[in-house]
Structure formats: structure tokens, C-alpha cells
Amino acid sequence: MITGLINTLTELLGPSGPIIGIGVVGIFLVTLTLPFILVKQKDPFDRIKSPTHSQVKKPAKKTASVNLRETSKGPNLDKFSAFLEPQSQEELSKSRMTLMQAGYRSRNAVRNYHFAQFALIALGLLGGLIYAFIISRDLAAFDMAKVIIIPIIIGYAAPIVWVKRRAGERLSELENGFPDSLDLMLVCIEAGQSFDQSITRVGVELSHSYPNLSDEFMIVSNEMRAGKDKPTVLKDFAERCGVQDIKSFVTVLIQSTTFGTSIGESLRVYAGEMRDKRIMNAEEKANKLPTKMTLCTMMFTVPPLMVMLVGPSVYQIMQVLG
């Protein structure tokens, strides 16, 4: 039976057919065992930490729970943290901030990102090998190299492109929604609410129109409730968002808190500047529109017009010369 299988693989894939077959079976077995390796086993010592039967459990009060962090539901990658995380603290902080600006705030976001990159590279390599040696066996060496290398490059670049795309969309939403949040915050403060209460109110009201900006305001509110220093919370807020207007707004608030000036007056001035900036951006886009339409006008209007004007004359000249 084994000899017949080896002969079949040799006829299909050539002299290296048995080696390729063993490699495919090995990759398949490794793929099957990965879920069992990545799932975290239950520690027997957890029973010691758990409450005993003699302890009386008090009924927990039903309170509205607010998550300060996003819980990860993916595989447990603690065993592979040395391979899936940058060893340099600077690179780790940079990767974490990049993912945070894209909306991935869980503590395992860096590991999941590199694991997704590794998994896509492995799938691309496996797909390229299957296509090169099984589906299309008559490929030249250069074509075979392209078939194998291109899926690997795509698997490596796909998470990078996805994160940058998510970060760009989120940045655009934050820039568009921030002037509205300032107006709403100014209304709340002028109505008599404190700064902490106005932050919470803005986060609740913006949950439908600008969900990402609402999440950021709710994180700021929760960190202030937890007792974190207000300037530190605001600086982290500006760093997470990565928007220049929010950084300027945080600078204004910190200066207002440091020098004891009115937050409402500072917000009123800054909100007016944001409205003027929004109007200027709209006017800039409107002024760019005629320039952008010029090329379309030249491509779709001038050629038909030239055909209608010059076409009859050219036809008559060709009739006379013919």
C-alpha cells in the first residue's frame, strides 16, 4: 500500500512527490494541533483560590458594568508572546499605539496582530505550494517562484493595509465629529454641569452619530472616575486619537486647569475656532471642485464637440479627394 502511494505521488508530482506529500501531511497535522496548544489549560491550583462551599455567597447587586478595556476572545497566545511581540519596548509601544489608533485597544492586540500575519503567511505559502506542485505542475521556475512568493507577500501586507485603513477611517470620523462634541460640551458646561459630567454626557449622546469618538470620551470619563490624574488622562486621550485638533484642545484644557481660568470661556473660544475651521474646510473643498472638474470636462466634452464641428468638413474633403 505504501509503495503504491509512493508510486502514485511520483507519477503525479515527479521525483520529489513523496517529500511534498510528507510536507503537506505535516502541515495539516500541525494545523490540527494548533488549537489544542493555544487553548489555555485549567490550572489545578485555581481550586485553592476559588471560594469554598462553607463560605456564604452574598447576592451580587445588579449594577451597570462599564468595560474599561476590550476583552479579547481569541486564542490564548501567552506561551508565544516572545515570538509574537517586539522585544524592544519602543517598538512594542509603537505597535500598540498604532493598533490603538485603529480601534484595537485590548492588551493582546499586538500578539493577535502578529499571529494573524503569521497565519496568513503560512496559508499563502501552503496555497502557493499546492497550486505550484499539484494543480499546475508544468510551471517554469520563475512562474513557480511567483506563485509561491506573491501569496506570502499578500499575507504579510494584508494586516498592515487593514490596520492602516481602519486607522484612516477612524481618524476621519474623529476629525468630523470633534467640532460637534465641543459644541455639545459647551452647552453642558453652560447648563451647570461639571467637566467630568459633561464628558460623560457627550460620550453618551455621540454613541449613535460618532461611535468611535463616543468610546474615547467614555474611556476618559471612566479613567477620571477611577481617580487617574486629569492632565494624564487628557494627554493619553490626545495620544490615542492622533488628531491635531484634539491635541490642541487638550493643551487648552490643561493650561486652563493650571492657570485657574474658566473652562467654559476656553471652550467657547475654541469651539468658535473649530466652527470657523470647518467652514474654511468646506470652502476649500468647494474651490477645488472646478479644478477637478476641468479634466473631466476636457475628456468628455471637447472630443464630441470637435467631432461635431470638424467631422462634416473632414467628410466633405475626403469625398472631394476621393
Side-chain angles (χ1 to χ4, degrees):
M1 179 178 177
I2 298 176
T3 307
L5 182 60
I6 292 175
N7 293 332
T8 304
L9 291 174
T10 305
E11 292 176 0
L12 291 175
L13 305 177
S16 58
I19 301 176
I20 297 171
I22 294 173
V24 172
V25 172
I27 294 174
F28 179 72
L29 293 176
V30 170
T31 307
L32 287 180
T33 55
L34 273 179
F36 299 98
I37 297 175
L38 298 179
V39 173
K40 186 178 180 180
Q41 300 294 330
K42 187 175 181 180
D43 192 358
F45 290 98
D46 291 340
R47 298 179 181 178
I48 302 175
K49 301 177 184 178
S50 62
T52 59
H53 295 286
S54 60
Q55 294 177 348
V56 180
K57 295 182 180 179
K58 297 180 180 180
K61 296 181 180 180
K62 294 182 179 180
T63 56
S65 60
V66 181
N67 293 327
L68 297 180
R69 294 186 180 93
E70 289 186 357
T71 57
S72 59
K73 299 180 180 179
N76 185 13
L77 303 175
D78 294 337
K79 301 177 182 178
F80 308 98
S81 60
F83 303 98
L84 299 177
E85 286 185 355
Q87 299 304 310
S88 174
Q89 187 64 30
E90 183 179 356
E91 295 179 1
L92 179 61
S93 301
K94 185 178 179 180
S95 301
R96 187 171 295 165
M97 183 56 59
T98 302
L99 292 171
M100 196 174 295
Q101 290 178 354
Y104 302 105
R105 290 186 288 268
S106 64
R107 65 175 185 175
N108 296 328
V110 179
R111 299 178 189 174
N112 295 336
Y113 170 76
H114 289 289
F115 175 74
Q117 212 169 29
F118 172 76
L120 289 176
I121 289 174
L123 289 176
L125 176 61
L126 180 61
L129 290 174
I130 291 174
Y131 183 82
F133 291 101
I134 297 178
I135 299 177
S136 299
R137 299 188 299 272
D138 299 331
L139 291 176
F142 181 72
D143 296 333
M144 187 178 298
K146 287 194 300 182
V147 168
I148 296 174
I149 293 175
I150 290 177
I152 295 175
I153 296 175
I154 293 175
Y156 174 79
I160 300 175
V161 175
W162 175 262
V163 169
K164 288 185 178 180
R165 182 172 173 272
R166 282 288 302 271
E169 292 177 354
R170 190 169 177 272
L171 180 65
S172 178
E173 179 180 334
L174 294 178
E175 289 178 347
N176 294 331
F178 187 65
D180 295 337
S181 66
L182 282 182
D183 293 335
L184 183 57
M185 191 181 303
L186 178 60
V187 171
C188 294
I189 290 178
E190 290 181 345
Q193 292 184 344
S194 64
F195 179 72
D196 299 352
Q197 293 174 341
S198 64
I199 289 287
T200 306
R201 185 68 178 178
V202 170
V204 172
E205 294 295 334
L206 294 178
S207 60
H208 298 289
S209 55
Y210 303 104
N212 291 319
L213 186 59
S214 172
D215 292 341
E216 292 295 337
F217 276 116
M218 293 306 297
I219 291 174
V220 172
S221 175
N222 293 329
E223 288 181 347
M224 288 182 179
R225 290 180 186 176
K228 197 173 180 180
D229 188 23
K230 187 179 293 185
T232 305
V233 172
L234 294 175
K235 289 179 181 178
D236 293 342
F237 168 58
E239 190 175 3
R240 282 195 312 269
C241 295
V243 180
Q244 185 61 39
D245 295 337
I246 297 180
K247 293 180 181 179
S248 303
F249 166 71
V250 167
T251 303
V252 169
L253 287 182
I254 292 175
Q255 290 178 354
S256 177
T257 305
T258 302
F259 296 109
T261 59
S262 174
I263 295 179
E265 187 65 28
S266 302
L267 277 177
R268 186 179 296 106
V269 174
Y270 197 76
E273 292 180 357
M274 287 292 100
R275 283 193 294 270
D276 295 340
K277 186 176 181 180
R278 174 181 283 185
I279 294 173
M280 291 173 61
N281 290 334
E283 291 177 351
E284 181 181 359
K285 292 180 180 179
N287 292 330
K288 287 181 180 178
L289 188 60
T291 305
K292 294 180 179 179
M293 290 296 295
T294 301
L295 182 60
C296 298
T297 304
M298 294 292 293
M299 290 178 60
F300 298 106
T301 304
V302 175
L305 184 62
M306 294 297 294
V307 170
M308 289 186 294
L309 294 178
V310 183
S313 302
V314 172
Y315 179 76
Q316 292 179 0
I317 292 174
M318 291 177 63
Q319 289 292 332
V320 171
L321 293 178

